[in-house]
Amino acid sequence: MFNQILEELNSSIVSHGGHKVNVEKRFQEYFSKKKDTVIRSFLWDVPGFRRWRVTRMDGGEKLQVLNSVAYPNYSNEQPILGIDLLWFEKKRKLVAVLDFQPLIQNDHYFRRYFEGLKTLKKNYPDFYSNKEMNLYDSKKYFSPWVLFYIGQGNNLKYSLREVFIDFLDKYWLMNKDSVQNYKKLSPEKIKELHISYDAYNAEVDPAHGLFKSYFGKEWADDFVQEFLFPNCNNRI
Ligand code: BLA
């Protein structure tokens, strides 16, 4: 399922000056106890970003995952890029969440960074079903324009790849707009918000339960705390 989208992501990162960096061995590639599922992770060094991680899980017909989070440098208050795509082939169920994850919920900040994301809304109405989030608090690090789809994967009127490319392009373009008299967050504040993003996500991410069942508790705990959200234990 998501191989093509992963290729799009990789080539987009490369075209913006990114190159792959080493991932700790135990997180690079790991097989489930039954050996029928593999999870692979990648890290990219990208100009302007302090961390860009990508994870691809291949559980055959049971589950396919592509997940990625890009954290801008602490000197840059722009939203965190968040991508979570899941495909349950047997149930033909797609979960797709794409967002510019805002550091703060503030109108000035939204006006500054979300013009691009807002324009996607009219092109992809299926992603705006007003579905409530159950596990996450939609006011915590989600934007009002989050692309969010849960449902039958074959009912989409457009390809997910098309949506993905459009979404990613808008993220790269975000810094083209300039707003006069706009007051930025300080790097100290940005760092604090990134830390609380990791702490919050390490707590609520449903991936943890899923990883425990496939890969065992010990690996799941380490992966969530040390690879997915390594800032989760930092206290300001
Ligand atoms: C939902 N994400 C989910 C679910 C799972 C994962 C199992 C529940 C799916 C269901 O409803 O059946 C899985 N999340 C993962 C996996 C990884 C992960 C495997 O992080 C790691 C490799 N989640 C994110 C990011 C966003 C995000 C970056 O990791 C934001 C773009 C959002 N995931 C997100 C949301 C839901 C979800 C909003 C729906 C849950 C809800 O309703 O609150």
Side-chain angles (χ1 to χ4, degrees):
M1 181 74 173
F2 300 128
N3 286 341
Q4 255 195 345
I5 294 181
L6 177 60
E7 276 169 32
E8 294 291 350
L9 178 61
N10 289 346
S11 65
S12 179
I13 293 174
V14 168
S15 74
H16 287 85
H19 58 268
K20 270 195 187 141
V21 291
N22 209 27
V23 173
E24 217 182 308
K25 193 116 182 78
R26 65 196 167 126
F27 299 142
Q28 264 173 24
E29 182 180 87
Y30 200 73
F31 285 85
S32 63
K33 284 166 276 177
K34 287 193 207 151
K35 301 277 181 240
D36 58 352
T37 299
V38 59
I39 185 164
R40 296 193 177 89
S41 291
F42 312 91
L43 276 176
W44 290 88
D45 186 0
V46 186
F49 292 82
R50 65 173 185 83
R51 180 178 176 82
W52 193 317
R53 64 163 168 86
V54 180
T55 294
R56 175 83 173 88
M57 183 168 155
D58 181 356
E61 284 195 336
K62 252 188 303 186
L63 176 63
Q64 297 288 324
V65 177
L66 176 61
N67 179 278
S68 183
V69 175
Y71 301 84
N73 288 336
Y74 290 136
S75 56
N76 183 346
E77 62 165 18
Q78 78 181 41
I80 290 169
L81 179 74
I83 294 166
D84 199 17
L85 305 175
L86 295 95
W87 171 242
F88 303 84
E89 168 81 32
K90 279 196 191 137
K91 298 187 237 165
R92 307 207 66 74
K93 174 180 161 184
L94 175 71
V95 178
V97 194
L98 302 168
D99 201 12
F100 298 0
Q101 301 203 261
L103 298 189
I104 51 171
Q105 303 276 334
N106 166 302
D107 281 345
H108 293 283
Y109 183 86
F110 287 150
R111 241 175 279 141
R112 171 67 185 82
Y113 295 108
F114 286 79
E115 289 310 313
L117 192 61
K118 272 187 211 176
T119 65
L120 294 188
K121 191 163 182 161
K122 59 177 183 309
N123 299 342
Y124 310 112
D126 292 0
F127 281 80
Y128 301 91
S129 57
N130 290 330
K131 211 173 254 233
E132 292 289 321
M133 291 181 186
N134 296 318
L135 310 163
Y136 291 89
D137 177 348
S138 61
K139 289 271 158 48
K140 270 200 177 145
Y141 296 110
F142 284 100
S143 80
W145 303 279
V146 54
L147 291 147
F148 182 31
Y149 181 87
I150 296 192
Q152 289 291 300
N154 29 358
N155 285 351
L156 278 177
K157 289 180 210 71
Y158 22 77
S159 79
L160 185 60
R161 179 166 162 267
E162 186 189 327
V163 184
F164 184 82
I165 292 171
D166 218 354
F167 165 80
L168 209 53
D169 284 350
K170 294 291 184 290
Y171 189 74
W172 292 118
L173 284 172
M174 185 164 42
N175 282 319
K176 292 265 162 75
D177 301 324
S178 74
V179 173
Q180 278 189 341
N181 302 326
Y182 178 73
K183 196 170 169 298
K184 286 191 178 250
L185 298 172
S186 69
E188 293 72 30
K189 184 68 190 168
I190 294 168
K191 183 171 181 191
E192 195 182 305
L193 290 163
H194 278 206
I195 289 172
S196 96
Y197 173 94
D198 273 17
Y200 175 70
N201 280 285
E203 195 185 311
V204 299
D205 197 328
H208 184 240
L210 188 138
F211 294 149
K212 253 193 337 200
S213 68
Y214 280 84
F215 307 111
K217 180 175 181 326
E218 195 182 336
W219 188 88
D221 287 353
D222 289 354
F223 187 65
V224 170
Q225 295 186 17
E226 295 172 36
F227 184 79
L228 293 185
F229 306 110
N231 255 342
C232 69
N233 292 318
N234 289 350
R235 296 272 175 266
I236 292 275

